[in-house]
Amino acid sequence: MPSITNHLKRIRREAVQNDFITLAWATYTFILLILFIAIGTEAVFYLSSAIRLIILQIVAGLIVAVIISLFIVNALIEQNKIKRYSWSKLARSAGRLAFPKSDVVINAYQLEQSENTYTSNSLSKSYIQRISNKLTRINLKKLFPTKRAENWKVSSLSMLVLGSLMVIIFWDSGSNALIRWGHPKHEFE
């Protein structure tokens, strides 16, 4: 029988994974937007190689900052510092989904963590086991719907189609802009 803590770890992993997938789709949409803006800007204004290099360095710096931020957020999640992923918040969410009262799981978790001599050991274990069995059957997809990630997927597809159409419609200037962005150190005439 998995412990309540193990169930909460599984629920937290699902919550983080769901939010990470949503963040990844949002980031992909944002990257596509920046890419097509950069192509359009280059096609219209014909940027110098120095400006293109500065822009690429800024983008690379932002990517590194985002990756470092993800590691920091992950460490904060593991330390229970972010309320959205705290044991109590996740336990209440799971309790609301699987039980009539939302505090059942948090009560079982607190019982499991306590070394209380005032409660019956067999009664506590029985209660925790009953909650654990119910948590084993919980459908985490209902707890963390993927609607936001699906909306970002649609946005990404729309951005990709519209951006590709713009590049195709203005093929001469768009393809030349792509070549110039592909060779940022080279000064074109």
Side-chain angles (χ1 to χ4, degrees):
M1 167 193 82
S3 66
I4 302 297
T5 305
N6 288 339
H7 285 296
L8 289 175
K9 285 179 182 177
R10 179 177 62 99
I11 291 168
R12 178 189 273 172
R13 191 172 37 252
E14 185 74 24
V16 170
Q17 180 181 349
N18 187 17
D19 287 348
F20 182 74
I21 289 170
T22 303
L23 177 67
W25 280 108
T27 303
Y28 180 61
T29 303
F30 182 70
I31 288 171
L32 287 174
L33 178 66
I34 296 297
L35 175 71
F36 291 126
I37 288 173
I39 291 170
T41 304
E42 176 65 27
V44 172
F45 296 113
Y46 197 80
L47 303 172
S48 69
S49 62
I51 293 175
R52 286 195 306 265
L53 281 172
I54 289 171
I55 291 172
L56 290 175
Q57 288 171 348
I58 290 171
V59 169
L62 288 173
I63 290 171
V64 169
V66 167
I67 291 171
I68 290 171
S69 297
L70 287 175
F71 281 111
I72 291 170
V73 167
N74 188 43
L76 291 173
I77 288 171
E78 290 298 322
Q79 295 173 2
N80 236 10
K81 300 280 185 189
I82 298 178
K83 186 173 181 172
R84 177 180 176 85
Y85 304 109
S86 69
W87 293 133
S88 60
K89 173 89 166 134
L90 294 171
R92 289 188 197 288
S93 297
R96 215 176 0 265
L97 181 66
F99 300 98
K101 290 185 175 182
S102 65
D103 63 346
V104 172
V105 178
I106 192 74
N107 291 341
Y109 173 70
Q110 288 169 345
L111 257 179
E112 183 180 80
Q113 296 300 312
S114 71
E115 303 274 334
N116 197 345
T117 56
Y118 299 113
T119 60
S120 166
N121 197 19
S122 61
L123 198 59
S124 296
K125 285 185 179 181
S126 170
Y127 179 74
I128 292 169
Q129 184 174 6
R130 188 167 47 90
I131 302 302
S132 179
N133 288 340
K134 188 96 172 191
L135 286 175
T136 302
R137 297 186 303 266
I138 195 171
N139 183 2
L140 294 179
K141 297 297 179 194
K142 287 183 180 177
L143 192 57
F144 307 109
T146 58
K147 184 72 174 154
R148 288 187 325 195
E150 290 169 9
N151 290 342
W152 280 109
K153 281 182 190 179
V154 171
S155 298
S156 295
L157 180 63
S158 303
M159 184 71 61
L160 191 59
V161 168
L162 290 173
S164 298
L165 281 175
M166 294 306 291
V167 170
I168 290 170
I169 290 171
F170 302 106
W171 180 252
D172 289 337
S173 59
S175 62
N176 288 334
L178 279 171
I179 291 170
R180 289 191 298 272
W181 275 112
H183 305 285
K185 290 183 180 178
H186 186 56
E187 194 67 50
F188 292 90
E189 300 200 18

